[in-house]
Amino acid sequence: MANLNIDIGKLHLKNPVLTASGTFGYGTEYADFMDLSRIGGVIVKGTTLHPREGNDYPRMAETPSGMLNAVGLQNKGVDFFISDIYPQIRDVDTNIIVNVSGSTIEDYVACAEKIGELEKIPAIELNISCPNVKQGGMAFGTTCAGASEVVKAVRKAVRKTLIVKLSPNVTDIAEIAKAVEAEGADSVSLINTLMGMAINIEMRRPVLSTVTGGLSGPCVKPVALRMVYQTSRAVKIPVIGLGGISGWQDAVEFILAGATAIQIGTYNFIDPTVSRKVGEGINAYLDRNGFRSVGELVGAMERG
Amino acid sequence: MKKYISDWTVKENTSIHAHYCLLKLVSGETFPETLPGQFVQVRVDDSSATFLRRPISIHFANTADRELWLLIQRIGKGTRKLSELKPGQKLNLIHPLGKGFSIPDTKNKRLLLIGGGVGAAPLLYLGAYLKENGFQPAFLLGARSEKDLLQSEEFGKYGDVYLATEDGSRGEKGFVTAHSLLQREKADFLYACGPKPMMLAVAKYAAQQAIPCEVSLENSMACGIGACLCCVEKTKKGNVCICTEGPVFNINQLTWPI
Ligand SMILES: Cc1cc2nc3c(=O)[nH]c(=O)nc-3n(C[C@H](O)[C@H](O)[C@H](O)COP(=O)(O)OP(=O)(O)OC[C@H]3O[C@@H](n4cnc5c(N)ncnc54)[C@H](O)[C@@H]3O)c2cc1C
Ligand SMILES: Cc1cc2nc3c(=O)[nH]c(=O)nc-3n(C[C@H](O)[C@H](O)[C@H](O)COP(=O)(O)O)c2cc1C
Ligand code: FES
């Protein structure tokens, strides 16, 4: 049994497998299928300062080896999270990380401050990359100046480990990563969804109510892997890789590309136990190949 | 209710007319308690064209024989593959999902179950369940033509069956909502399941007549377990996931134009 422990800032993970925001609910939705203590952590749904109804239905379109979504950050707001959800999940034996979203700097800061006070939430993932809301979100994540501004403000307000989730809908993701590193982010996670579209040809109209949406699933993996590779070589802080992971082999690829930890998103819908299996698969791979710890595997590629 | 992911074995797969099939599955492991109106998420295969699971209603559940029946209309890639499954093949399901139909508390109520086309699927198990619990359900089944009226003999085991087809090839000609039964008798409770325009017409009739009515929705889904928030319906309480809060709703919860 290899050592699977990983540290991201002050956050200690028992293994490098996390579940991605918006795809794993609050974890409780999956408790019938697997023991949540078997994974490194659960990143819960995007949470905003005020409640959000999200976008109109239809919000989903299946695509080859993937899907488009346009949920639009539907959630009941941070106060509801604190009063109604946090008490139910605070004692789960894994790291519960909250994904914080917003449309103004003030909202991000106010929401992050409230989460910052919760004893059993060890880290915040700052979502500056949601493509599904008109205001803000991705707007911050697509320029170095916007990303710096929001990270700087949130960094001042919270002491917990701060992971910044990056948008792939940019020319140079490594530049954005460097900008948020400079403002004190402890880690970056990438990628959020890629902007895409689907058309219903019988009705001759877009499938999604919002016309465009975010693409995820195995179809985005090569793009995500390339971005993780480029980013991990550009920054010193740990990189969390995600985008299209459906099995342990994909996870090993991301780790070899330079990811310290990984997240699994869309594939939870197909196999609700995939995150547990990926952890087991990484462990078996490390043993077979004589690695004593997963840390040794990070970026351990022959060429490049 | 606890949900399970497990492999089921195809016992029989019978095609019905040109576009439908009846898939009978047997459980290898435990057969969880299943309520009428609940559904399963079917893993079609691992090809790129059928990436997500497909939601399918529970047509019938037989705990003693550990059998689950699915009634499927071939409309695309996934349902076509399901219609081609052979006995002995395995199918992975997440089961049971959603909340079912409500069961009245007094037995002497006149219950009418109205189905349109393949939408009638969940009403068979509902009818059987109601009969077993001392109710006397009646069924009003509608379809485009005779070739889209499904399982009417099977429905007959659990109550009177009234039929309507749009082309008049079987039963009364016209939509279910124009059936003479609705003029003759007023039910105490309606359950409707079928295409959206049909459910809307039933809901309008129910609202007019002040009859309580439940409908079962088929919004497109990704996860089926309340995690992705893709399957929402606009209700009087705001957007709710039909996979966990439904798929069955009382019409007075919805914001339909009735
Ligand atoms: C709760 C629930 C219960 C259901 N029960 C049954 C059932 O008992 N029997 C049955 O035959 N079907 C049922 N359906 C519908 C079934 O899930 C879809 O027909 C199926 O997913 C289509 O998959 P496909 O790969 O064959 O079609 P695809 O190739 O994915 O799609 C073919 C076409 O159908 C459209 N389509 C796909 N899904 C839906 C949908 N949910 N509603 C409307 N249009 C759709 C697509 O937009 C496309 O135009 C149910 C759906 C839900 C949500
Ligand atoms: C239905 C859905 C909802 C999502 N919601 C969020 C969210 O609220 N916040 C966020 O940062 N990312 C969200 N994402 C993006 C995922 O966390 C992840 O970055 C992306 O899907 C790529 O990973 P995957 O291919 O493994 O799914 C969502 C993705 C999906 C499919
Ligand atoms: S289908 Fe994912 S929440 Fe309903």
Side-chain angles (χ1 to χ4, degrees), chain A residues 145-156:
Chain A
S148 301
E149 199 188 348
V150 63
V151 172
K152 183 179 198 166
V154 173
R155 178 75 286 177
K156 254 195 233 145

Side-chain angles (χ1 to χ4, degrees), chain A residues 195-210:
Chain A
M195 283 271 265
M197 181 173 177
I199 297 174
N200 180 327
I201 59 165
E202 298 305 326
M203 315 234 288
R204 287 182 287 280
R205 66 172 189 224
V207 176
L208 301 174
S209 68
T210 47

Side-chain angles (χ1 to χ4, degrees), chain B residues 221-231 241 243:
Chain B
M221 294 184 177
C223 71
I225 58 172
C228 73
L229 309 189
C230 285
C231 62
C241 291
C243 68

